[in-house]
PDB file of all heavy atoms in Angstrom:
ATOM      1  N   ALA K 247      -4.769  16.926  12.207  1.00 95.00           N
ATOM      2  CA  ALA K 247      -4.430  18.267  11.719  1.00 95.00           C
ATOM      3  C   ALA K 247      -4.433  18.299  10.195  1.00 95.00           C
ATOM      4  O   ALA K 247      -4.914  19.267   9.579  1.00 95.00           O
ATOM      5  CB  ALA K 247      -3.069  18.702  12.258  1.00 95.00           C
ATOM      6  N   CYS K 248      -3.921  17.249   9.580  1.00 96.00           N
ATOM      7  CA  CYS K 248      -3.899  17.172   8.114  1.00 96.00           C
ATOM      8  C   CYS K 248      -5.312  17.099   7.539  1.00 96.00           C
ATOM      9  O   CYS K 248      -5.620  17.786   6.553  1.00 96.00           O
ATOM     10  CB  CYS K 248      -3.094  15.957   7.666  1.00 96.00           C
ATOM     11  SG  CYS K 248      -1.319  16.122   7.915  1.00 96.00           S
ATOM     12  N   LEU K 249      -6.158  16.284   8.143  1.00 96.00           N
ATOM     13  CA  LEU K 249      -7.535  16.163   7.642  1.00 96.00           C
ATOM     14  C   LEU K 249      -8.312  17.452   7.861  1.00 96.00           C
ATOM     15  O   LEU K 249      -9.131  17.840   7.018  1.00 96.00           O
ATOM     16  CB  LEU K 249      -8.224  14.954   8.274  1.00 96.00           C
ATOM     17  CG  LEU K 249      -7.603  13.599   7.894  1.00 96.00           C
ATOM     18  CD1 LEU K 249      -8.313  12.462   8.620  1.00 96.00           C
ATOM     19  CD2 LEU K 249      -7.605  13.379   6.392  1.00 96.00           C
ATOM     20  N   ASP K 250      -8.051  18.143   8.974  1.00 96.00           N
ATOM     21  CA  ASP K 250      -8.671  19.454   9.206  1.00 96.00           C
ATOM     22  C   ASP K 250      -8.211  20.455   8.140  1.00 96.00           C
ATOM     23  O   ASP K 250      -9.011  21.227   7.607  1.00 96.00           O
ATOM     24  CB  ASP K 250      -8.329  19.989  10.600  1.00 96.00           C
ATOM     25  CG  ASP K 250      -9.054  19.254  11.719  1.00 96.00           C
ATOM     26  OD1 ASP K 250     -10.011  18.503  11.436  1.00 96.00           O
ATOM     27  OD2 ASP K 250      -8.632  19.422  12.892  1.00 96.00           O
ATOM     28  N   ALA K 251      -6.916  20.445   7.822  1.00 97.00           N
ATOM     29  CA  ALA K 251      -6.378  21.360   6.810  1.00 97.00           C
ATOM     30  C   ALA K 251      -6.914  21.018   5.422  1.00 97.00           C
ATOM     31  O   ALA K 251      -7.183  21.918   4.616  1.00 97.00           O
ATOM     32  CB  ALA K 251      -4.856  21.318   6.821  1.00 97.00           C
ATOM     33  N   LYS K 252      -7.095  19.735   5.150  1.00 97.00           N
ATOM     34  CA  LYS K 252      -7.685  19.315   3.873  1.00 97.00           C
ATOM     35  C   LYS K 252      -9.095  19.863   3.757  1.00 97.00           C
ATOM     36  O   LYS K 252      -9.485  20.435   2.728  1.00 97.00           O
ATOM     37  CB  LYS K 252      -7.686  17.795   3.739  1.00 97.00           C
ATOM     38  CG  LYS K 252      -8.360  17.304   2.453  1.00 97.00           C
ATOM     39  CD  LYS K 252      -8.589  15.800   2.497  1.00 97.00           C
ATOM     40  CE  LYS K 252      -9.383  15.326   1.311  1.00 97.00           C
ATOM     41  NZ  LYS K 252     -10.785  15.789   1.319  1.00 97.00           N
ATOM     42  N   LYS K 253      -9.867  19.698   4.828  1.00 97.00           N
ATOM     43  CA  LYS K 253     -11.245  20.199   4.835  1.00 97.00           C
ATOM     44  C   LYS K 253     -11.265  21.720   4.641  1.00 97.00           C
ATOM     45  O   LYS K 253     -12.048  22.242   3.848  1.00 97.00           O
ATOM     46  CB  LYS K 253     -11.943  19.819   6.143  1.00 97.00           C
ATOM     47  CG  LYS K 253     -13.399  20.197   6.186  1.00 97.00           C
ATOM     48  CD  LYS K 253     -14.057  19.701   7.464  1.00 97.00           C
ATOM     49  CE  LYS K 253     -15.521  20.057   7.470  1.00 97.00           C
ATOM     50  NZ  LYS K 253     -16.197  19.546   8.669  1.00 97.00           N
ATOM     51  N   ALA K 254     -10.384  22.409   5.337  1.00 97.00           N
ATOM     52  CA  ALA K 254     -10.320  23.871   5.225  1.00 97.00           C
ATOM     53  C   ALA K 254      -9.931  24.319   3.816  1.00 97.00           C
ATOM     54  O   ALA K 254     -10.365  25.379   3.358  1.00 97.00           O
ATOM     55  CB  ALA K 254      -9.335  24.433   6.249  1.00 97.00           C
ATOM     56  N   SER K 255      -9.148  23.512   3.133  1.00 97.00           N
ATOM     57  CA  SER K 255      -8.718  23.872   1.770  1.00 97.00           C
ATOM     58  C   SER K 255      -9.869  23.759   0.774  1.00 97.00           C
ATOM     59  O   SER K 255      -9.838  24.378  -0.284  1.00 97.00           O
ATOM     60  CB  SER K 255      -7.568  22.963   1.314  1.00 97.00           C
ATOM     61  OG  SER K 255      -8.045  21.679   0.911  1.00 97.00           O
ATOM     62  N   GLY K 256     -10.876  22.935   1.115  1.00 97.00           N
ATOM     63  CA  GLY K 256     -11.996  22.715   0.206  1.00 97.00           C
ATOM     64  C   GLY K 256     -11.644  21.836  -0.981  1.00 97.00           C
ATOM     65  O   GLY K 256     -12.426  21.699  -1.921  1.00 97.00           O
ATOM     66  N   LYS K 257     -10.470  21.208  -0.949  1.00 98.00           N
ATOM     67  CA  LYS K 257     -10.008  20.406  -2.074  1.00 98.00           C
ATOM     68  C   LYS K 257     -10.225  18.914  -1.805  1.00 98.00           C
ATOM     69  O   LYS K 257     -10.185  18.458  -0.675  1.00 98.00           O
ATOM     70  CB  LYS K 257      -8.532  20.683  -2.345  1.00 98.00           C
ATOM     71  CG  LYS K 257      -8.268  22.098  -2.837  1.00 98.00           C
ATOM     72  CD  LYS K 257      -6.777  22.346  -3.020  1.00 98.00           C
ATOM     73  CE  LYS K 257      -6.499  23.721  -3.587  1.00 98.00           C
ATOM     74  NZ  LYS K 257      -6.875  24.813  -2.681  1.00 98.00           N
ATOM     75  N   THR K 258     -10.429  18.172  -2.886  1.00 97.00           N
ATOM     76  CA  THR K 258     -10.569  16.720  -2.802  1.00 97.00           C
ATOM     77  C   THR K 258      -9.183  16.069  -2.808  1.00 97.00           C
ATOM     78  O   THR K 258      -8.180  16.714  -3.133  1.00 97.00           O
ATOM     79  CB  THR K 258     -11.365  16.172  -3.997  1.00 97.00           C
ATOM     80  OG1 THR K 258     -10.595  16.393  -5.199  1.00 97.00           O
ATOM     81  CG2 THR K 258     -12.734  16.832  -4.123  1.00 97.00           C
ATOM     82  N   TYR K 259      -9.145  14.779  -2.501  1.00 97.00           N
ATOM     83  CA  TYR K 259      -7.887  14.039  -2.608  1.00 97.00           C
ATOM     84  C   TYR K 259      -7.366  14.102  -4.040  1.00 97.00           C
ATOM     85  O   TYR K 259      -6.162  14.269  -4.260  1.00 97.00           O
ATOM     86  CB  TYR K 259      -8.062  12.573  -2.176  1.00 97.00           C
ATOM     87  CG  TYR K 259      -8.179  12.392  -0.687  1.00 97.00           C
ATOM     88  CD1 TYR K 259      -9.378  12.007  -0.101  1.00 97.00           C
ATOM     89  CD2 TYR K 259      -7.081  12.585   0.144  1.00 97.00           C
ATOM     90  CE1 TYR K 259      -9.485  11.839   1.272  1.00 97.00           C
ATOM     91  CE2 TYR K 259      -7.177  12.418   1.518  1.00 97.00           C
ATOM     92  CZ  TYR K 259      -8.383  12.038   2.071  1.00 97.00           C
ATOM     93  OH  TYR K 259      -8.478  11.866   3.431  1.00 97.00           O
ATOM     94  N   ASP K 260      -8.252  13.959  -5.028  1.00 97.00           N
ATOM     95  CA  ASP K 260      -7.825  14.025  -6.428  1.00 97.00           C
ATOM     96  C   ASP K 260      -7.203  15.379  -6.750  1.00 97.00           C
ATOM     97  O   ASP K 260      -6.168  15.444  -7.423  1.00 97.00           O
ATOM     98  CB  ASP K 260      -9.001  13.765  -7.373  1.00 97.00           C
ATOM     99  CG  ASP K 260      -9.422  12.311  -7.431  1.00 97.00           C
ATOM    100  OD1 ASP K 260      -8.662  11.432  -6.987  1.00 97.00           O
ATOM    101  OD2 ASP K 260     -10.538  12.046  -7.931  1.00 97.00           O
ATOM    102  N   GLU K 261      -7.827  16.450  -6.302  1.00 97.00           N
ATOM    103  CA  GLU K 261      -7.304  17.793  -6.580  1.00 97.00           C
ATOM    104  C   GLU K 261      -5.946  18.007  -5.916  1.00 97.00           C
ATOM    105  O   GLU K 261      -5.010  18.519  -6.543  1.00 97.00           O
ATOM    106  CB  GLU K 261      -8.301  18.855  -6.127  1.00 97.00           C
ATOM    107  CG  GLU K 261      -9.566  18.881  -6.962  1.00 97.00           C
ATOM    108  CD  GLU K 261     -10.693  19.702  -6.345  1.00 97.00           C
ATOM    109  OE1 GLU K 261     -10.709  19.905  -5.110  1.00 97.00           O
ATOM    110  OE2 GLU K 261     -11.582  20.128  -7.111  1.00 97.00           O
ATOM    111  N   LEU K 262      -5.840  17.619  -4.659  1.00 98.00           N
ATOM    112  CA  LEU K 262      -4.567  17.768  -3.946  1.00 98.00           C
ATOM    113  C   LEU K 262      -3.475  16.901  -4.578  1.00 98.00           C
ATOM    114  O   LEU K 262      -2.327  17.334  -4.715  1.00 98.00           O
ATOM    115  CB  LEU K 262      -4.733  17.426  -2.470  1.00 98.00           C
ATOM    116  CG  LEU K 262      -5.562  18.424  -1.652  1.00 98.00           C
ATOM    117  CD1 LEU K 262      -5.922  17.833  -0.296  1.00 98.00           C
ATOM    118  CD2 LEU K 262      -4.814  19.738  -1.491  1.00 98.00           C
ATOM    119  N   ALA K 263      -3.842  15.686  -4.974  1.00 97.00           N
ATOM    120  CA  ALA K 263      -2.870  14.787  -5.604  1.00 97.00           C
ATOM    121  C   ALA K 263      -2.362  15.379  -6.917  1.00 97.00           C
ATOM    122  O   ALA K 263      -1.156  15.326  -7.202  1.00 97.00           O
ATOM    123  CB  ALA K 263      -3.509  13.419  -5.847  1.00 97.00           C
ATOM    124  N   GLU K 264      -3.257  15.944  -7.700  1.00 97.00           N
ATOM    125  CA  GLU K 264      -2.844  16.555  -8.968  1.00 97.00           C
ATOM    126  C   GLU K 264      -1.891  17.727  -8.723  1.00 97.00           C
ATOM    127  O   GLU K 264      -0.867  17.860  -9.389  1.00 97.00           O
ATOM    128  CB  GLU K 264      -4.065  17.025  -9.755  1.00 97.00           C
ATOM    129  CG  GLU K 264      -3.718  17.534 -11.136  1.00 97.00           C
ATOM    130  CD  GLU K 264      -4.930  17.857 -11.979  1.00 97.00           C
ATOM    131  OE1 GLU K 264      -6.017  17.310 -11.729  1.00 97.00           O
ATOM    132  OE2 GLU K 264      -4.777  18.684 -12.885  1.00 97.00           O
ATOM    133  N   ILE K 265      -2.205  18.545  -7.750  1.00 97.00           N
ATOM    134  CA  ILE K 265      -1.336  19.683  -7.404  1.00 97.00           C
ATOM    135  C   ILE K 265       0.044  19.191  -6.972  1.00 97.00           C
ATOM    136  O   ILE K 265       1.068  19.761  -7.352  1.00 97.00           O
ATOM    137  CB  ILE K 265      -1.984  20.534  -6.283  1.00 97.00           C
ATOM    138  CG1 ILE K 265      -3.214  21.270  -6.831  1.00 97.00           C
ATOM    139  CG2 ILE K 265      -0.981  21.512  -5.682  1.00 97.00           C
ATOM    140  CD1 ILE K 265      -4.104  21.860  -5.746  1.00 97.00           C
ATOM    141  N   CYS K 266       0.063  18.123  -6.189  1.00 97.00           N
ATOM    142  CA  CYS K 266       1.323  17.619  -5.634  1.00 97.00           C
ATOM    143  C   CYS K 266       2.068  16.669  -6.579  1.00 97.00           C
ATOM    144  O   CYS K 266       3.234  16.335  -6.334  1.00 97.00           O
ATOM    145  CB  CYS K 266       1.060  16.910  -4.307  1.00 97.00           C
ATOM    146  SG  CYS K 266       0.530  18.042  -3.000  1.00 97.00           S
ATOM    147  N   GLY K 267       1.386  16.202  -7.626  1.00 97.00           N
ATOM    148  CA  GLY K 267       2.034  15.304  -8.577  1.00 97.00           C
ATOM    149  C   GLY K 267       2.187  13.879  -8.090  1.00 97.00           C
ATOM    150  O   GLY K 267       3.130  13.185  -8.465  1.00 97.00           O
ATOM    151  N   VAL K 268       1.247  13.438  -7.246  1.00 96.00           N
ATOM    152  CA  VAL K 268       1.253  12.066  -6.720  1.00 96.00           C
ATOM    153  C   VAL K 268      -0.120  11.448  -6.960  1.00 96.00           C
ATOM    154  O   VAL K 268      -1.058  12.135  -7.344  1.00 96.00           O
ATOM    155  CB  VAL K 268       1.615  12.034  -5.210  1.00 96.00           C
ATOM    156  CG1 VAL K 268       3.014  12.570  -4.973  1.00 96.00           C
ATOM    157  CG2 VAL K 268       0.603  12.809  -4.372  1.00 96.00           C
ATOM    158  N   THR K 269      -0.253  10.144  -6.716  1.00 96.00           N
ATOM    159  CA  THR K 269      -1.560   9.510  -6.855  1.00 96.00           C
ATOM    160  C   THR K 269      -2.462   9.918  -5.684  1.00 96.00           C
ATOM    161  O   THR K 269      -1.971  10.329  -4.622  1.00 96.00           O
ATOM    162  CB  THR K 269      -1.467   7.972  -6.892  1.00 96.00           C
ATOM    163  OG1 THR K 269      -1.036   7.487  -5.621  1.00 96.00           O
ATOM    164  CG2 THR K 269      -0.528   7.497  -7.990  1.00 96.00           C
ATOM    165  N   ASN K 270      -3.768   9.762  -5.874  1.00 96.00           N
ATOM    166  CA  ASN K 270      -4.703  10.136  -4.812  1.00 96.00           C
ATOM    167  C   ASN K 270      -4.525   9.272  -3.565  1.00 96.00           C
ATOM    168  O   ASN K 270      -4.648   9.769  -2.446  1.00 96.00           O
ATOM    169  CB  ASN K 270      -6.154  10.145  -5.305  1.00 96.00           C
ATOM    170  CG  ASN K 270      -6.619   8.841  -5.911  1.00 96.00           C
ATOM    171  OD1 ASN K 270      -5.922   7.831  -5.903  1.00 96.00           O
ATOM    172  ND2 ASN K 270      -7.813   8.862  -6.480  1.00 96.00           N
ATOM    173  N   VAL K 271      -4.207   8.013  -3.735  1.00 96.00           N
ATOM    174  CA  VAL K 271      -3.994   7.135  -2.579  1.00 96.00           C
ATOM    175  C   VAL K 271      -2.715   7.530  -1.840  1.00 96.00           C
ATOM    176  O   VAL K 271      -2.695   7.582  -0.612  1.00 96.00           O
ATOM    177  CB  VAL K 271      -3.967   5.652  -2.989  1.00 96.00           C
ATOM    178  CG1 VAL K 271      -3.574   4.757  -1.816  1.00 96.00           C
ATOM    179  CG2 VAL K 271      -5.332   5.231  -3.520  1.00 96.00           C
ATOM    180  N   TYR K 272      -1.659   7.854  -2.579  1.00 95.00           N
ATOM    181  CA  TYR K 272      -0.416   8.261  -1.927  1.00 95.00           C
ATOM    182  C   TYR K 272      -0.605   9.564  -1.155  1.00 95.00           C
ATOM    183  O   TYR K 272      -0.100   9.714  -0.039  1.00 95.00           O
ATOM    184  CB  TYR K 272       0.720   8.396  -2.953  1.00 95.00           C
ATOM    185  CG  TYR K 272       2.077   8.525  -2.302  1.00 95.00           C
ATOM    186  CD1 TYR K 272       2.729   7.415  -1.795  1.00 95.00           C
ATOM    187  CD2 TYR K 272       2.694   9.766  -2.188  1.00 95.00           C
ATOM    188  CE1 TYR K 272       3.965   7.528  -1.180  1.00 95.00           C
ATOM    189  CE2 TYR K 272       3.938   9.890  -1.582  1.00 95.00           C
ATOM    190  CZ  TYR K 272       4.564   8.769  -1.080  1.00 95.00           C
ATOM    191  OH  TYR K 272       5.787   8.887  -0.466  1.00 95.00           O
ATOM    192  N   LEU K 273      -1.364  10.497  -1.737  1.00 97.00           N
ATOM    193  CA  LEU K 273      -1.656  11.758  -1.042  1.00 97.00           C
ATOM    194  C   LEU K 273      -2.400  11.477   0.263  1.00 97.00           C
ATOM    195  O   LEU K 273      -2.063  12.030   1.311  1.00 97.00           O
ATOM    196  CB  LEU K 273      -2.462  12.685  -1.959  1.00 97.00           C
ATOM    197  CG  LEU K 273      -2.721  14.111  -1.482  1.00 97.00           C
ATOM    198  CD1 LEU K 273      -3.808  14.300  -0.516  1.00 97.00           C
ATOM    199  CD2 LEU K 273      -1.467  14.866  -1.213  1.00 97.00           C
ATOM    200  N   ALA K 274      -3.397  10.594   0.202  1.00 96.00           N
ATOM    201  CA  ALA K 274      -4.132  10.232   1.422  1.00 96.00           C
ATOM    202  C   ALA K 274      -3.196   9.588   2.437  1.00 96.00           C
ATOM    203  O   ALA K 274      -3.290   9.869   3.638  1.00 96.00           O
ATOM    204  CB  ALA K 274      -5.294   9.294   1.084  1.00 96.00           C
ATOM    205  N   GLN K 275      -2.278   8.737   1.961  1.00 95.00           N
ATOM    206  CA  GLN K 275      -1.306   8.103   2.860  1.00 95.00           C
ATOM    207  C   GLN K 275      -0.425   9.147   3.544  1.00 95.00           C
ATOM    208  O   GLN K 275      -0.121   9.037   4.723  1.00 95.00           O
ATOM    209  CB  GLN K 275      -0.435   7.104   2.094  1.00 95.00           C
ATOM    210  CG  GLN K 275      -1.179   5.849   1.681  1.00 95.00           C
ATOM    211  CD  GLN K 275      -1.496   4.969   2.853  1.00 95.00           C
ATOM    212  OE1 GLN K 275      -2.532   5.126   3.495  1.00 95.00           O
ATOM    213  NE2 GLN K 275      -0.624   4.047   3.157  1.00 95.00           N
ATOM    214  N   ILE K 276      -0.008  10.170   2.802  1.00 96.00           N
ATOM    215  CA  ILE K 276       0.788  11.249   3.403  1.00 96.00           C
ATOM    216  C   ILE K 276      -0.014  11.913   4.516  1.00 96.00           C
ATOM    217  O   ILE K 276       0.485  12.104   5.628  1.00 96.00           O
ATOM    218  CB  ILE K 276       1.211  12.292   2.340  1.00 96.00           C
ATOM    219  CG1 ILE K 276       2.235  11.705   1.373  1.00 96.00           C
ATOM    220  CG2 ILE K 276       1.762  13.549   3.015  1.00 96.00           C
ATOM    221  CD1 ILE K 276       2.524  12.585   0.165  1.00 96.00           C
TER     222      ILE K 276
END
Side-chain angles (χ1 to χ4, degrees):
C248 288
L249 295 177
D250 287 346
K252 177 192 174 292
K253 185 176 182 178
S255 78
K257 293 177 177 66
T258 66
Y259 285 110
D260 286 345
E261 291 167 337
L262 290 167
E264 186 174 336
I265 290 166
C266 292
V268 298
T269 67
N270 56 6
V271 173
Y272 192 78
L273 187 280
Q275 289 289 88
I276 291 170

